[in-house]
Amino acid sequence: MKKVFLSLLTIVFCMQGIGQEPSRNTKQNGKAAGYASRDATVVSMMGWGIGLFAGIAALFALLDNNTESSGGQAH
Amino acid sequence: MQYFLCIFVLLLSYVVGNPIPIFSPPASWQYVHPKKPTEYILASFVGNGSGSFHPSINLAIEETELSLKDYVKAVKAVHTREPNTKWRDLGPFSMKAGQGRLTEISSQNPGGEIKVLQAIFVKDNIAYILTCSMLKKEFPEIQKDVLNSLQSLFLSENIYSALGDNTKETNLREFFAKIDSDLSNDNSLKSKQKQWELLQSQIPEKYSEMGGYWHVLAMKEGLARIMKDAEENTMK
């Protein structure tokens, strides 16, 4: 009886798992590859050199401005 | 008791995290930080080109229930829908992560014929795609670097275990711990900038063999620690 109950519980649990992910069965596979090749071509054409460093330097400049303005308000 | 143990094991299987894909772009290729990240794309790098079309490489991932063979068929269907595009399966391709498949997409561009190499690897219901775009006429010059980059893909639990060396792993953890410690003593903007500069110089220097993408991941980890303190201060 215990084995039957456990088996039923396992089956129910597994079927629930499948039921909650219908998107995998109906989604279009290969989309990422399509996006990747298009993105690579666009980046190649743009020749972007905007590195992580430039982005973070801008972030620090923004922090600097916020610190100055809050310091001004404190006085 | 046995019932609860079995349920726990079943639940655990749903909780296991996915590994991190890591690859080494050609040396000196620059990380691209787009304003609007493209869906599926984890990272892009761009190199120097002789003309207006620069070689680039990106890493993308996608959930899939298909095998490698069937996923490649699905990729073929996606690409062959594009007008003026030729798609070719170049055959099995060995990557550090395992056996993948190499494909080629050719199309025209005002600057010349474009060659896109796409290396595909599928494991545990995730497809990992490395895509490199370049002018066909420039391919012979950069062929070796490009193929080495495509082959370099491997999967790791985290950036520490990716080092594959306990001493290096410990050193990296200590490096980040020191950042936390220094910032707890002095969390001024000047101190944060100093930590960021240290991160930028130390990571590529001490871990040069790990490649540009791992450097980006490690610097993002360090930056998160630096900015975490900034966020906490802003909320005070």
Side-chain angles (χ1 to χ4, degrees):
Chain A
M1 189 63 193
K2 285 180 183 178
K3 284 183 184 175
V4 170
F5 176 74
L6 187 62
S7 302
L8 278 173
L9 193 65
T10 308
I11 291 166
V12 166
F13 189 86
C14 290
M15 286 183 72
Q16 278 187 343
I18 293 168
Q20 284 165 7
E21 298 177 3
S23 59
R24 272 196 183 173
N25 295 328
T26 56
K27 73 184 284 289
Q28 183 190 0
N29 285 283
K31 270 180 86 173
Y35 273 82
S37 62
R38 275 195 293 275
D39 200 69
T41 307
V42 167
V43 169
S44 289
M45 286 195 289
M46 300 288 283
W48 283 345
I50 302 171
L52 174 67
F53 314 131
I56 301 308
L59 191 61
F60 270 116
L62 185 66
L63 278 171
D64 201 7
N65 289 339
N66 285 340
T67 307
E68 282 176 7
S69 61
S70 62
Q73 284 169 6
H75 291 296
Chain B
M1 182 62 191
Q2 285 175 334
Y3 303 122
F4 289 117
L5 190 62
C6 291
I7 291 169
F8 173 76
V9 168
L10 283 168
L11 281 172
L12 195 62
S13 63
Y14 275 73
V15 173
V16 172
N18 292 322
I20 305 172
I22 298 176
F23 76 106
S24 295
S28 81
W29 286 30
Q30 199 172 12
Y31 175 66
V32 175
H33 188 67
K35 285 183 182 176
K36 290 183 184 178
T38 310
E39 192 181 357
Y40 303 111
I41 311 288
L42 294 182
S44 298
F45 288 80
V46 66
N48 293 317
S50 56
S52 57
F53 195 93
H54 300 245
S56 73
I57 189 167
N58 67 48
L59 171 65
I61 62 171
E62 179 181 13
E63 280 190 359
T64 181
E65 73 282 6
L66 301 178
S67 64
L68 173 64
K69 185 180 172 186
D70 290 335
Y71 186 80
V72 170
K73 281 184 188 171
V75 168
K76 178 184 177 182
V78 166
H79 282 116
T80 49
R81 274 203 294 270
E82 296 289 324
N84 304 317
T85 300
K86 289 179 191 172
W87 184 91
R88 251 194 336 152
D89 181 352
L90 300 180
F93 188 66
S94 288
M95 304 160 93
K96 261 177 94 174
Q99 190 75 335
R101 202 89 185 166
L102 186 64
T103 65
E104 177 190 75
I105 305 116
S106 304
S107 60
Q108 284 297 329
N109 175 272
E113 187 178 343
I114 298 172
K115 186 185 185 81
V116 174
L117 288 178
Q118 200 159 63
I120 300 167
F121 177 72
V122 175
K123 185 173 181 181
D124 296 336
N125 297 122
I126 296 180
Y128 303 90
I129 307 121
L130 269 176
T131 305
C132 187
S133 166
M134 70 220 98
L135 287 175
K136 188 176 179 180
K137 63 185 179 187
E138 290 181 355
F139 178 62
E141 291 171 35
I142 61 174
Q143 178 180 353
K144 188 180 170 191
D145 289 341
V146 165
L147 290 176
N148 282 342
S149 288
L150 295 177
Q151 286 175 322
S152 70
L153 177 76
F154 70 98
L155 305 180
S156 180
E157 194 183 322
N158 52 51
I159 59 167
Y160 303 100
S161 58
L163 292 165
D165 182 306
N166 286 337
T167 308
K168 287 184 181 177
E169 190 174 324
T170 305
N171 289 343
L172 183 63
R173 289 185 190 278
E174 285 175 356
F175 178 71
F176 285 138
K178 188 165 185 314
I179 289 178
D180 292 338
S181 168
D182 289 349
L183 287 175
S184 67
N185 294 330
D186 177 6
N187 66 351
S188 64
L189 184 64
K190 203 170 180 180
S191 174
K192 289 184 204 309
Q193 284 174 327
K194 187 184 165 188
Q195 292 297 334
W196 173 236
E197 283 163 16
L198 198 67
L199 206 57
Q200 286 178 74
S201 64
Q202 295 288 302
I203 292 292
E205 185 185 309
K206 287 187 175 178
Y207 304 97
S208 57
E209 74 283 3
M210 292 307 295
Y213 183 49
W214 185 91
H215 294 160
V216 168
L217 292 175
M219 283 192 273
K220 281 186 175 180
E221 167 69 21
L223 187 64
R225 288 160 184 260
I226 295 170
M227 298 313 294
K228 183 186 99 175
D229 293 319
E231 195 181 310
E232 284 171 0
N233 287 334
T234 306
M235 288 169 70
K236 282 178 185 170

